[in-house]
C-alpha cells in the first residue's frame, strides 16, 4: 500500500469540497500541504457531448440510477471533478430566513449565511438571464401562473456566456455554467492544492485515510488519475468530509471514528420531485434555451411544495411517464410539443428516513414518503395541471391519477382523481437531487453530529462541509447555502490552523 502525507485532506470536490479547497488554498503559501481526493473523473472540455446516456454514465453516481432501499425513488448525485455542480442547473437562491431560524443551530445566524452566499453569487456570476434566453417552455409557465394569479419568480442563475443548449444536467458543453469545476477548483489548484481524481476514500481510520485509485478503462471518459491505480494510505492532520449527503454519512458509518455519534445518518431529506408534462397543439421551444428560469414558491408554507420549470431529455422523460406501449409512445412522439414542470415536495426530517450502510459498507438510503409529502406532491401536481391548462395545453399527463391523461375540457377531474394515497412507493417515478442531512449541525452529540462549524463532536481534527450538515430540509435549491457553510467551516480551520496542524 502506497503512503502519502498531507496536512489537510478534503474528501469530495463538489459544492462543499470545491469551496473548501479554494478557501483553504491561501494556507499553501505557508507550506501547508492540501489534497482533494475525488472519487469521480475529471473530463476534458471536448468530452461533454450532451448525449444523455453517455453523459449520465460519465458524470453521475451509478449512472444516475442510485435507488433508495425500497426502490421508490432515484437519487441524483454528480460524481466527478466538481461533484454535483458539474450537473446542476445553476439556479442560485439564498436560504430563506425562516428556515435558518427554524434550524436553530446555536451560533449560526441568518445574516451570516446571507453574507457568505452573496460572496459566492458574485464569484459565480449569478444574474437574471436576458429576455432572449428565456424559452417558450418557461414563458408558458409564466403566462399560466399570471392567468391564475400565481406569483412566478425568475431564478438567478450562475452562467457566463450561456448558449442556451439546455444540457445543464448533462454537464455544460460550453463552459458557461459556473460550478466548482470552473471556478473554485481551478483557483485552488493554481494556489497549490492537489486534486486527485478517481480516488475513492474507503475509510477514515483515525487521522489516516484508506483510499483506492481506479484505472481509466479504454472506453471511459476523463483523464487518468494523477496517482497510479492501487490502494493508498493517506495521513492527514485535518480531514474534511465533503462527499455529499449520502456518501459522507456512509463513509463515517464505515469508519473508525473515535466518538459515539447516535445521530449519524439521521435527518436525511431530499425534496422528492415529480416531472410532469402537458401536450400543446403546436411545437414549443423546450429543448433550446436555459431549461430552468422560473419557479413558484408561494405554496411552500401552506401546502409544502415548490414548482420549477424544467426540461428533461428523452430517456428521463420517458421513465417519468406512466403507461406502456402505444399511449406511452404517442406521448413521447409529442416531445417537441411538451411543456414540463417539476414539482418538489418540501419534506421534513422523519426518524425513518436516514442513511445507513450494508454489510460491505455501501450506502443504503431508507426513505418512506410521509403523508405530508404525498399531500404536497398531490397539491403540487394539481397546481401544475392548472398552470398547464391556463397556458393553453390540450391535455395533461398525471402519472399518479387513476387515468393519467386529463383533457382540457375535463379539468374538474383534478379534484376527484388525484388522491395523495395514489403516491404509493414504486407506482410513480419520483426522483430527488437536493440531498441533505445525515451529519446535522447542533449543540451536542445527542442532538447532532457536528457543531455549527462542521466539527464532528468529540473529534477535533474531523470536519464535515457539505449538504449533510443541514439539520432539516432547506425548502429551496441548496448549493449556495452549502458553499456558505463550507466557507464558514474553512474560516474556522484557517483560524485554528496553527493548533490543528502542529
Ligand atoms: C441534476 C442536479 C441538478 C441540480 N440543480 C441544482 C440547482 O439548480 N441549484 C441548486 O442550488 N442545487 C442544485 N442541485 C443540488 C446541488 O448540486 C447539490 O446540493 C450540491 O452540489 C451538493 O454539494 P455537496 O458538496 O454536498 O456534494 P456534491 O456536490 O454531490 O459533491 C460530492 C462529491 O464527493 C465525491 N465522493 C463521494 N464519496 C466519495 C468518497 N468516498 N471518496 C472520494 N470522493 C467521494 C462525489 O464523487 C462528488 O464529486 C442539483 C443537483 C443535481 C444532481
Ligand atoms: S443552457 Fe447554458 S449553462 Fe446550460 S448547458 Fe447550455 S450553455 Fe451551459
Amino acid at each position: 500500500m502506497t503512503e502519502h502525507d498531507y496536512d489537510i485532506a478534503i474528501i469530495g470536490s463538489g459544492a462543499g469540497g470545491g469551496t473548501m479547497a479554494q478557501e483553504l488554498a491561501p494556507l499553501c503559501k505557508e507550506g501547508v500541504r492540501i489534497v482533494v481526493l475525488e472519487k469521480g473523473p475529471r473530463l476534458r472540455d471536448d468530452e461533454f457531448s450532451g448525449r444523455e446516456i453517455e453523459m449520465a454514465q460519465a458524470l453521475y453516481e451509478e449512472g444516475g440510477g442510485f435507488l433508495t432501499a425500497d426502490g421508490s425513488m432515484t437519487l441524483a448525485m454528480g460524481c466527478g471533478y466538481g461533484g454535483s455542480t458539474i450537473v446542476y442547473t445553476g439556479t442560485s437562491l439564498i436560504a430563506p430566513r425562516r428556515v435558518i431560524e427554524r434550524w436553530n443551530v446555536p451560533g449560526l445566524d441568518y445574516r451570516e449565511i446571507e453574507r457568505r452566499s452573496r460572496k459566492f453569487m458574485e464569484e459565480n456570476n449569478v444574474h437574471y438571464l436576458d429576455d432572449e434566453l428565456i424559452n417558450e417552455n418557461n414563458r408558458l409557465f409564466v403566462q399560466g401562473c399570471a392567468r391564475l394569479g400565481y406569483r412566478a419568480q425568475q431564478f438567478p442563475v450562475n452562467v457566463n456566456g450561456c448558449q442556451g443548449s439546455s444540457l445543464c444536467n448533462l454537464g455544460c458543453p460550453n463552459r458557461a455554467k459556473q460550478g466548482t469545476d470552473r471556478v473554485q477548483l481551478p483557483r485552488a489548484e493554481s494556489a497549490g492544492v492537489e486534486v486527485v481524481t478517481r480516488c475513492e476514500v474507503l475509510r477514515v481510520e483515525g487521522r489516516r485515510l484508506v483510499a483506492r485509485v481506479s484505472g481509466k478503462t479504454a472506453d471511459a471518459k476523463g483523464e487518468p488519475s494523477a496517482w497510479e491505480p492501487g490502494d493508498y494510505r493517506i495521513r492527514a492532520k485535518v480531514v474534511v468530509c465533503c462527499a455529499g449527503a449520502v456518501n459522507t454519512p456512509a463513509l463515517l458509518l464505515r469508519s473508525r471514528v473515535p466518538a459515539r455519534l447516535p445521530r449519524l445518518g439521521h435527518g436525511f431529506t431530499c425534496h422528492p420531485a415529480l416531472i410532469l408534462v402537458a401536450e400543446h397543439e403546436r411545437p414549443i421551444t423546450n429543448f433550446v434555451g436555459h431549461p430552468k428560469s422560473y419557479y413558484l414558491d408561494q405554496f411552500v408554507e401552506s401546502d409544502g411544495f415548490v414548482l420549477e420549470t424544467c426540461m428533461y431529455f428523452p430517456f428521463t422523460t420517458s421513465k417519468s411517464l406512466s403507461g406502456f406501449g402505444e399511449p406511452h409512445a404517442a406521448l413521447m412522439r409529442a416531445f417537441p410539443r411538451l411543456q414540463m414542470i417539476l414539482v418538489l415536495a418540501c419534506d421534513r426530517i422523519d426518524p425513518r428516513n436516514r442513511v445507513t450502510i450494508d454489510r460491505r459498507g455501501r450506502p443504503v438510503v431508507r426513505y418512506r414518503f410521509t403523508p405530508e409529502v404525498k399531500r404536497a406532491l398531490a397539491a403540487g401536481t394539481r397546481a401544475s395541471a392548472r398552470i398547464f391548462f391556463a397556458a393553453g395545453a390540450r391535455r395533461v399527463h398525471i402519472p399518479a391519477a387513476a387515468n393519467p391523461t386529463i383533457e382540457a375540457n375535463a379539468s374538474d377531474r383534478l379534484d376527484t382523481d388525484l388522491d395523495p394515497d395514489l403516491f404509493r412507493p414504486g407506482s410513480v417515478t419520483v426522483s430527488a437531487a437536493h440531498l441533505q442531512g445525515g451529519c446535522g449541525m447542533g449543540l451536542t452529540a445527542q442532538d447532532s453530529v457536528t457543531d455549527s462549524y462542521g466539527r464532528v463532536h468529540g473529534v477535533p481534527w474531523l470536519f464535515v462541509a457539505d449538504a449533510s450538515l443541514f439539520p432539516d430540509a432547506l425548502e429551496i435549491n441548496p448549493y449556495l447555502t452549502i458553499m456558505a457553510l463550507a466557507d464558514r467551516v474553512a474560516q474556522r480551520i484557517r483560524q485554528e490552523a496553527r493548533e490543528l496542524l502542529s
Side-chain angles (χ1 to χ4, degrees):
M1 193 176 288
T2 313
E3 306 224 345
H4 283 291
D5 272 302
Y6 287 92
D7 293 302
I8 303 176
I10 300 166
I11 304 167
S13 67
T19 305
M20 184 57 60
Q22 170 180 282
E23 296 304 320
L24 292 182
L27 294 173
C28 294
K29 269 201 210 134
E30 297 161 30
V32 175
R33 291 151 308 155
I34 305 176
V35 68
V36 176
L37 305 168
E38 167 54 54
K39 179 161 73 165
R42 181 199 302 239
L43 267 59
R44 294 190 317 267
D45 288 346
D46 63 355
E47 290 180 304
F48 289 88
S49 67
R51 290 192 201 102
E52 185 175 8
I53 306 296
E54 186 182 297
M55 294 314 297
Q57 291 295 344
L59 293 177
Y60 283 84
E61 177 110 10
E62 298 193 8
F66 184 101
L67 284 169
T68 51
D70 69 358
S72 61
M73 181 164 53
T74 318
L75 303 182
M77 314 166 224
C79 180
Y81 178 87
S84 299
T85 77
I86 326 171
V87 293
Y88 68 7
T89 322
T91 57
S92 309
L93 295 179
I94 297 178
R97 181 188 286 269
R98 66 169 185 281
V99 173
I100 303 300
E101 287 176 355
R102 197 185 69 222
W103 282 2
N104 197 20
V105 175
L108 186 70
D109 177 40
Y110 168 74
R111 277 166 307 180
E112 186 184 344
I113 294 287
E114 186 191 22
R115 175 174 57 78
R116 292 185 195 269
S117 300
R118 288 200 189 283
K119 165 177 150 181
F120 292 104
M121 287 174 85
E122 199 171 323
E123 214 168 79
N124 293 355
N125 197 37
V126 171
H127 62 287
Y128 292 108
L129 283 181
D130 288 343
D131 207 40
E132 65 264 23
L133 278 167
I134 307 294
N135 71 13
E136 215 173 353
N137 189 51
N138 282 284
R139 287 183 197 285
L140 287 168
F141 180 80
V142 176
Q143 278 168 25
C145 286
R147 284 179 190 144
L148 295 165
Y150 296 166
R151 295 186 302 275
Q153 299 184 70
Q154 189 171 358
F155 267 124
V157 289
N158 66 358
V159 295
N160 197 351
C162 177
Q163 312 274 313
S165 57
S166 202
L167 294 166
C168 312
N169 299 152
L170 300 178
C172 177
N174 303 310
R175 305 171 53 111
K177 203 173 47 172
Q178 303 295 290
T180 57
D181 55 327
R182 294 289 171 205
V183 183
Q184 287 77 25
L185 289 166
R187 287 185 192 176
E189 285 187 282
S190 56
V193 173
E194 288 177 47
V195 179
V196 181
T197 55
R198 301 187 189 275
C199 179
E200 179 176 8
V201 176
L202 305 176
R203 284 186 310 283
V204 181
E205 293 185 343
R207 293 193 201 195
R208 264 192 210 146
L209 308 180
V210 178
R212 181 163 299 151
V213 171
S214 328
K216 172 179 154 50
T217 54
D219 57 343
K221 284 183 188 280
E223 307 279 5
S225 175
W227 292 355
E228 288 298 316
D231 289 347
Y232 288 80
R233 185 160 285 146
I234 299 129
R235 274 189 296 269
K237 292 173 186 153
V238 172
V239 174
V240 193
C241 298
C242 306
V246 170
N247 282 306
T248 287
L251 171 64
L252 294 180
L253 282 164
R254 63 178 183 257
S255 295
R256 284 189 218 141
V257 178
R260 222 183 82 70
L261 300 166
R263 297 296 304 159
L264 185 56
H266 288 262
F268 178 83
T269 61
C270 59
H271 297 163
L274 283 177
I275 299 170
L276 296 179
V277 307
E279 213 179 312
H280 283 259
E281 295 279 0
R282 58 183 178 83
I284 57 173
T285 51
N286 50 14
F287 45 83
V288 177
H290 189 275
K292 198 180 279 296
S293 307
Y294 283 88
Y295 67 104
L296 179 75
D297 71 352
Q298 78 186 68
F299 298 105
V300 174
E301 290 183 82
S302 57
D303 298 281
F305 69 85
V306 174
L307 305 183
E308 297 183 351
T309 51
C310 65
M311 172 42 61
Y312 290 95
F313 319 101
F315 174 74
T316 307
T317 304
S318 68
K319 78 181 173 64
S320 306
L321 306 175
S322 59
F324 297 95
E326 182 46 32
H328 185 273
L331 205 47
M332 285 308 292
R333 279 196 298 275
F335 194 79
R337 291 187 280 113
L338 294 184
Q339 184 188 348
M340 294 194 195
I341 298 178
L342 188 70
V343 182
L344 295 107
C346 299
D347 53 344
R348 301 289 302 273
I349 54 170
D350 183 280
R352 287 168 304 185
N353 294 343
R354 63 195 180 102
V355 179
T356 59
I357 48 173
D358 66 12
R359 275 201 219 140
R360 293 172 59 190
R362 290 174 306 198
V364 175
V365 177
R366 303 193 183 285
Y367 193 94
R368 303 242 317 250
F369 301 122
T370 59
E372 292 78 18
V373 163
K374 291 181 189 175
R375 276 200 293 276
L377 290 174
T381 300
R382 249 183 238 116
S384 303
R386 293 197 177 105
I387 294 168
F388 285 135
F389 286 134
R394 182 205 296 181
R395 61 180 66 93
V396 171
H397 182 80
I398 308 278
N403 175 356
T405 302
I406 299 187
E407 301 288 336
N409 60 8
S411 60
D412 52 341
R413 275 186 49 210
L414 289 171
D415 293 319
T416 52
D417 284 20
L418 198 62
D419 189 317
D421 286 337
L422 292 167
F423 290 89
R424 289 187 307 276
S427 66
V428 181
T429 302
V430 181
S431 58
H434 296 170
L435 318 182
Q436 309 156 60
C439 299
M441 297 173 286
L443 200 53
T444 70
Q446 295 317 304
D447 66 20
S448 55
V449 175
T450 79
D451 67 14
S452 75
Y453 290 97
R455 192 195 305 261
V456 173
H457 293 303
V459 194
W461 49 267
L462 182 60
F463 292 82
V464 173
D466 60 19
S468 61
L469 286 177
F470 291 8
D472 203 342
L474 193 64
E475 299 181 1
I476 57 140
N477 314 50
Y479 95 82
L480 269 182
T481 310
I482 297 163
M483 295 185 88
L485 289 175
D487 189 46
R488 176 180 157 90
V489 177
Q491 186 179 357
R492 179 47 60 107
I493 295 173
R494 282 198 315 269
Q495 283 164 347
E496 293 185 5
R498 190 160 298 167
E499 203 177 308
L500 284 166
L501 303 178
S502 61

